Amino acid sequence: MKTRIRHYLEVLSTAIWMVPLAFLIGSIILAFLNFYLDKTLIARHVQFPDFFLYFNDSENIRTMLSVSGSSILGVAGVSFSITIASLTLASQQFGSRLLRNFMMDRFNQVVLGIFIGTFLYCIMMLQFTSSMDLNKTTPIISMVGLLILVITSLLMLVFFIHHIAVSIQADTVIADVNGTLQAQSAKLFPEEWSEKKHLPDTPPADLQADLFNTDASPMKVRGSGYLQGVDHERLIKLVNDKDIAIKLTVKPGDFLIKNSVIGYCLASDAQKEDFENEIVGPVNDRLLVGSKATAEQDPEFPVRQLVEVAVRALSPGINDPFTAITCIDRLGDNIAFLINREFPSDHHFDEEGRLRLLTKPFTFEGIVEASFNQIRQHGRNDVSVTIHLLDTLLCLAHQASSDEQAKAINTQVNALYSTSNENFNAQKDRDDIKAKYKAINQCLEKRFKLDGA
């Protein structure tokens, strides 16, 4: 249930209409409240300064409300136009998948909410003043509230233009995506010294896992789309209640083709008689499948976003290696963060130590490949990008703490070195790359046993 709640919150967070809707509701409540206070607390016989006598004239009040409402609506239209223009520019330069980050920008949502909320407040007050007995009531609270809203809207317009100008800069976009990447990494990968939530792997568990290759029945997905998340809590409860074991062959971020195999199940002969309804259906209900990939349970999603920015920057049409280098810096920082983190176990046991759920895990090597493979391939003709990749890998080599990490780094280094020999003709470039290649190999060979070393 928690997984689904987080999923719905994630969907709502990307909906640009949520905050403006809240401001619309708030403006209606504010208009009713101010009207009530004017009718009940403010009386005609109360002596006000001369400035407030302006609010005694019904024509002045209507004029102010009409002008304010029409002006703010025009400002809102301009703001929407600026937003659409910035989204178009971001889509062309950074990729359409990054539009999700712009839509999640709370400041943009708040600005649009204030504009349309102020406009609705003016409309509501126009209706209220038509029924207000101005000979007995002076709508001071309502009009002061309007002035505050108008001044706030004008200030927000200035801040909004500044915010848009900053938010479409490459460094800002990369920093925002990197923030999402760091938050996801911290959530999905616990501290190195954190307690194990599952029992350790044992030979009996391995023997149980082998049964999936011989006695298990395949399970198929009933729809198509991207796997956005797995409700592990409900899935573990299902396998425990039905006394079965499941192996998932997909992980969040994978695209599922309808009727494709998503895993295998060890069930009794009686359960296999109605396998589709008793097991396959409930398992499908515990998979969150949507039309697009999200970062809910997929740490590689923001990685792919950064890689997309880098690859586009390396395209002949843009040719901006500095942006690609910035992306490499952020990706390297995230991988360094993961070096000291614990990757969740893919074995889930019950209280008696029996293997109940075997999932397809995220691995350090997989994240390194997702981070650097495409950048290496598209930047193979750019010396500066190749050298910066090697510099990043050298830094990671000094921090590597396991054979798996060393192997993943070494694989990338060898691929870079072989590519450089084929594409770079300048002897100085090849010498620089060779020196960095040797430095990385020496760093790794001192502490780890590498294949072929």
Side-chain angles (χ1 to χ4, degrees):
M1 183 59 67
K2 293 181 180 179
T3 302
R4 289 197 173 272
I5 292 175
R6 287 194 293 265
H7 172 70
Y8 294 138
L9 291 177
E10 174 77 13
V11 172
L12 291 178
S13 67
T14 60
I16 198 172
W17 51 267
M18 278 299 298
V19 173
L21 176 61
F23 273 88
L24 285 177
I25 297 174
S27 66
I28 295 175
I29 296 174
L30 181 62
F32 273 101
L33 178 62
N34 288 347
F35 175 75
Y36 173 78
L37 293 176
D38 283 326
K39 291 291 287 183
T40 57
L41 300 181
I42 307 300
R44 177 76 180 196
H45 62 272
V46 177
Q47 297 296 322
F48 294 100
D50 294 340
F51 170 77
F52 291 106
L53 295 178
Y54 176 83
F55 297 131
N56 287 336
D57 191 326
S58 61
E59 290 301 321
N60 288 341
I61 292 175
R62 290 181 176 277
T63 300
M64 179 179 288
L65 289 170
S66 300
V67 172
S68 300
S70 58
S71 300
I72 292 300
L73 185 61
V75 170
V78 172
S79 301
F80 276 111
S81 300
I82 294 175
T83 302
I84 295 301
S86 64
L87 292 179
T88 302
L89 178 62
S91 175
Q92 294 174 348
Q93 184 173 357
F94 305 118
S96 59
R97 276 164 289 278
L98 283 175
L99 294 183
R100 174 180 178 274
N101 297 69
F102 287 91
M103 294 178 64
M104 293 177 64
D105 192 323
R106 283 287 180 265
F107 185 81
N108 293 343
Q109 297 174 4
V110 168
V111 170
L112 297 178
I114 289 176
F115 289 160
I116 63 178
T118 302
F119 172 74
L120 182 58
Y121 180 87
C122 294
I123 298 300
M124 297 295 295
M125 292 311 304
L126 277 172
Q127 299 300 316
F128 292 155
T129 54
S130 63
S131 61
M132 183 181 293
D133 187 358
L134 296 178
N135 293 324
K136 295 181 179 180
T137 305
T138 302
I140 291 179
I141 297 178
S142 299
M143 301 312 295
V144 170
L146 173 64
L147 289 175
I148 294 174
L149 287 175
V150 170
I151 293 173
T152 302
S153 298
L154 294 177
L155 290 175
M156 293 303 290
L157 175 62
V158 177
F159 296 147
F160 177 73
I161 294 174
H162 170 78
H163 179 73
I164 288 294
V166 171
S167 63
I168 60 176
Q169 296 178 16
D171 289 340
T172 303
V173 173
I174 294 171
D176 290 342
V177 177
N178 183 65
T180 302
L181 176 57
Q182 290 181 333
Q184 285 298 104
S185 298
K187 181 176 68 174
L188 297 176
F189 303 106
E191 296 284 354
E192 185 179 18
W193 54 82
S194 63
E195 295 182 0
K196 298 280 187 178
K197 293 186 177 180
H198 305 292
L199 298 178
D201 293 346
T202 60
D206 295 336
L207 294 177
Q208 294 175 58
D210 290 339
L211 294 176
F212 287 110
N213 301 323
T214 57
D215 300 335
S217 302
M219 300 181 298
K220 297 182 179 180
V221 66
R222 293 185 172 181
S224 61
Y226 288 95
L227 181 59
Q228 298 174 340
V230 179
D231 194 340
H232 288 96
E233 294 180 359
R234 294 180 61 218
L235 188 56
I236 291 175
K237 186 178 184 303
L238 173 69
V239 296
N240 287 329
D241 292 344
K242 292 186 176 293
D243 193 24
I244 58 177
I246 288 177
K247 175 184 178 181
L248 292 180
T249 57
V250 294
K251 66 180 186 297
D254 292 344
F255 184 80
L256 309 181
I257 299 176
K258 187 176 181 179
N259 292 326
S260 62
V261 176
I262 57 174
Y264 298 89
C265 176
L266 292 172
S268 64
D269 294 337
Q271 291 171 324
K272 291 180 180 180
E273 293 179 359
D274 194 13
F275 189 68
E276 289 294 323
N277 294 326
E278 288 292 328
I279 296 177
V280 176
V283 169
N284 273 265
D285 292 339
R286 286 153 177 79
L287 303 180
L288 304 177
V289 181
S291 59
K292 55 187 177 182
T294 65
E296 293 176 53
Q297 296 183 11
D298 181 12
E300 294 181 2
F301 178 80
V303 168
R304 291 192 294 270
Q305 286 185 316
L306 283 177
V307 170
E308 182 176 4
V309 174
V311 169
R312 282 178 173 268
L314 292 172
S315 64
I318 298 179
N319 192 23
D320 181 14
F322 296 103
T323 296
I325 288 173
T326 303
C327 293
I328 294 171
D329 291 336
R330 299 293 189 175
L331 291 167
D333 181 58
N334 179 68
I335 293 173
F337 174 83
L338 294 178
I339 285 177
N340 297 318
R341 288 278 167 159
E342 185 75 28
F343 280 67
S345 173
D346 56 342
H347 288 65
H348 299 257
F349 302 88
D350 60 17
E351 295 181 354
E352 299 178 359
R354 292 177 297 180
L355 180 63
R356 288 297 188 182
L357 178 62
L358 186 62
T359 58
K360 183 180 179 181
F362 289 97
T363 63
F364 182 85
E365 182 180 7
I367 293 178
V368 170
E369 291 181 349
S371 299
F372 294 141
N373 276 359
Q374 292 191 54
I375 298 178
R376 186 190 73 246
Q377 294 159 2
H378 288 82
R380 62 183 180 275
N381 296 320
D382 194 300
V383 178
S384 62
V385 172
T386 300
I387 291 178
H388 202 79
L389 277 171
L390 289 171
D391 286 334
T392 302
L393 291 169
L394 176 59
C395 181
L396 295 175
H398 285 293
Q399 301 182 46
S401 59
S402 68
D403 291 337
E404 179 194 5
Q405 296 170 1
K407 178 183 176 183
I409 295 171
N410 187 60
T411 300
Q412 294 296 321
V413 172
N414 290 335
L416 277 169
Y417 185 65
S418 62
T419 301
S420 64
N421 288 331
E422 298 173 359
N423 294 288
F424 302 141
N425 297 321
Q427 187 60 43
K428 183 181 185 308
D429 294 336
R430 299 177 68 172
D431 290 342
D432 291 342
I433 292 173
K434 186 176 182 179
K436 295 183 182 297
Y437 171 74
K438 287 184 176 180
I440 297 173
N441 275 345
Q442 290 174 358
C443 176
L444 294 176
E445 290 172 359
K446 286 180 180 179
R447 296 180 294 145
F448 306 102
K449 178 64 178 178
L450 303 177
D451 294 339

